[in-house]
Amino acid sequence: MGVPLRKNVQFQLLWLGGTASQLGTTITTLAMPLLVVALTGSYFLPGVIAGARAAALLLALMPAGVWVDRWDRGRTLVWSQTVQALSAAALAAAVFTGHVQVVVFVVLAVVDGVCTAFAGPARTAAIQAVVPEEQLRTAYAQEEARGHAARVAGPPLGALLIAAGRAVPFVVDAITFALAAVCAWFAKIPARGEPKPRRRMRHDLKDAGRWLWRQTGLRNLTVVFLVLNLLGGASMLPVLALVAERGGSGLDTGVVIAGIGVGGIIGSLVSPRVALAPGRLMVVVLVVFGACNLAMVLPFGVFWPFVPLAVTATVTPLINVSVSALHSQLVPEDMMGRLDAVSTLAARVLTPLAPALGGFLAGVVGGAVALAVFGALILVTALVAAFTDLSVSPPRRSSPASG
């Protein structure tokens, strides 16, 4: 059985650093739009900023995936998080000195997005390097739990910190990224074995894309994720607008958004025990997402959206852990960075549009109507997915043939 996961120092250091950086990110996820809305009065501009970050992340993902497979994955993770710490510190300085403008938010959001494009595949490869295969499902569940735990504390903490001072949330974000970089450094992620001969980047990416295309179930699951990420992401700014429409404060909004973290923790605890096939599980997740979007519209007060958000977040780790474990079984180790980048890009290529779409619709028709529209579209997606081939081939670990 080897060392229990709780005694795996390398993984636990990665987990601690990831928890810290995730907390900082969730703090600024709420603090940034609250600050921009306070400065400009627009719900659309926070969507533009979030969209710029998402676009930068997606544009950098493909080359980042190739380079992560070629470079030292541990050092890549350390340097990515170090630059994120410096970026957050620069934003804090701009806010503190009163020189903050929307363009500053956009530029630093782009920097953060590019760094995330490298840190994501590097982290995936690092976890696979230090965790035995039989413990990966539990490790991914713990990863999900730390993200959702951060979402419990992050939003209300972000509202409190921005009330203490507009620059404070971004100072905390910089500290958390610095801590993550230190943890990744001390984790001492092992280097790969003898590297393969270098080829042109397009050949490496072509191999990963061809491999994913041949996995019909995974390919179709990725398309469904694409739609869910677009509609689910577009629903977040309407939630903020809905709380404001009902007279809620920034702190009230933080409490409501914390429902995502509460539900996520519950889902993370049960996810290793869920045996439902990923395809069927995806249909269930879509139905829950759509129904909860519609439920948030019910006129039960400022804090009511907390409940549907928590229910939605409960099923999110189930599908994330299921698909992550599936990838760890199917994907060859020397292609993990590329495949993580290719599949993430395919599933999120439309997400830069999500915040702007959600913010625009909320500004035009209000948060409640926007949530109802997105909920109905997610339910339509569930109906289509129910009649789509989402079955997955048996695990195989051989490398793909080059061509």
Side-chain angles (χ1 to χ4, degrees):
M1 290 293 293
V3 178
L5 189 63
R6 66 179 182 278
K7 295 183 178 180
N8 185 328
V9 176
Q10 291 173 297
F11 172 72
Q12 297 303 336
L13 279 170
L14 287 174
W15 183 85
L16 177 61
T19 301
S21 63
Q22 188 72 44
L23 177 61
T25 297
T26 55
I27 286 172
T28 55
T29 295
L30 179 64
M32 184 277 290
L34 288 178
L35 178 57
V36 174
V37 170
L39 291 173
T40 67
S42 170
Y43 281 100
F44 179 66
L45 288 176
V48 171
I49 295 166
R53 179 187 181 278
L57 190 159
L58 293 175
L59 288 172
L61 260 178
M62 299 290 267
V66 173
W67 288 327
V68 166
D69 282 338
R70 294 178 178 180
W71 297 346
D72 184 299
R73 49 202 166 188
R75 290 184 180 180
T76 302
L77 184 57
V78 170
W79 280 109
S80 299
Q81 293 173 328
T82 299
V83 175
Q84 285 176 299
L86 295 173
S87 175
L91 182 55
V95 174
F96 181 77
T97 58
H99 292 91
V100 63
Q101 298 177 355
V102 171
V103 66
V104 175
F105 280 103
V106 171
V107 170
L108 294 178
V110 167
V111 172
D112 184 71
V114 172
C115 290
T116 302
F118 282 87
R123 184 176 182 82
T124 298
I127 290 173
Q128 192 181 38
V130 301
V131 177
E133 184 172 337
E134 65 273 11
Q135 295 178 348
L136 278 172
R137 191 178 185 90
T138 304
Y140 289 133
Q142 187 172 326
E143 284 283 286
E144 282 287 318
R146 59 100 175 159
H148 289 290
R151 291 185 184 97
V152 173
L157 184 56
L160 287 172
L161 291 175
I162 201 168
R166 288 181 169 180
V168 176
F170 308 103
V171 172
V172 173
D173 193 27
I175 293 171
T176 60
F177 274 120
L179 177 59
V182 170
C183 288
W185 175 264
F186 281 104
K188 303 296 182 185
I189 306 304
R192 291 186 179 87
E194 185 177 348
K196 289 189 173 184
R198 295 288 178 88
R199 302 185 301 166
R200 290 189 176 183
M201 184 180 294
R202 63 184 179 88
H203 292 305
D204 286 339
L205 292 173
K206 187 176 180 181
D207 280 350
R210 184 187 296 115
W211 185 92
L212 180 60
W213 181 261
R214 289 173 178 171
Q215 302 288 323
T216 304
L218 277 179
R219 184 183 71 214
N220 292 339
L221 274 171
T222 302
V223 174
V224 176
F225 264 118
L226 169 67
V227 179
L228 180 58
N229 285 334
L230 173 63
L231 298 177
S235 300
M236 291 313 299
L237 281 174
V239 172
L240 303 187
L242 178 65
V243 174
E245 289 165 8
R246 294 178 176 178
S249 65
L251 182 57
D252 295 336
T253 303
V255 172
V256 169
I257 299 299
I260 298 174
V262 173
I265 292 173
I266 296 171
S268 301
L269 293 175
V270 302
S271 57
R273 300 175 178 84
V274 174
L276 195 63
R280 293 183 179 179
L281 184 57
M282 175 58 84
V283 176
V284 173
V285 169
L286 287 166
V287 171
V288 172
F289 262 75
C292 286
N293 259 40
L294 295 176
M296 278 189 277
V297 179
L298 297 173
F300 294 157
V302 171
F303 296 106
W304 163 246
F306 176 99
V307 177
L309 282 175
V311 174
T312 300
T314 300
V315 300
T316 302
L318 307 186
I319 191 64
N320 287 344
V321 170
S322 179
V323 173
S324 294
L326 192 64
H327 276 215
S328 70
Q329 294 172 332
L330 290 171
V331 181
E333 183 183 3
D334 62 356
M335 199 171 67
M336 182 59 72
R338 283 171 287 158
L339 202 285
D340 185 83
V342 169
S343 59
T344 300
L345 177 63
R348 298 184 181 180
V349 68
L350 297 181
T351 52
L353 302 176
L357 176 62
F360 173 77
L361 196 58
V364 173
V365 299
V369 176
L371 285 168
V373 170
F374 293 135
L377 291 174
I378 293 172
L379 289 177
V380 171
T381 305
L383 181 63
V384 174
F387 294 96
T388 302
D389 180 12
L390 301 177
S391 59
V392 180
S393 304
R396 57 181 183 271
R397 302 290 295 180
S398 57
S399 296
S402 299

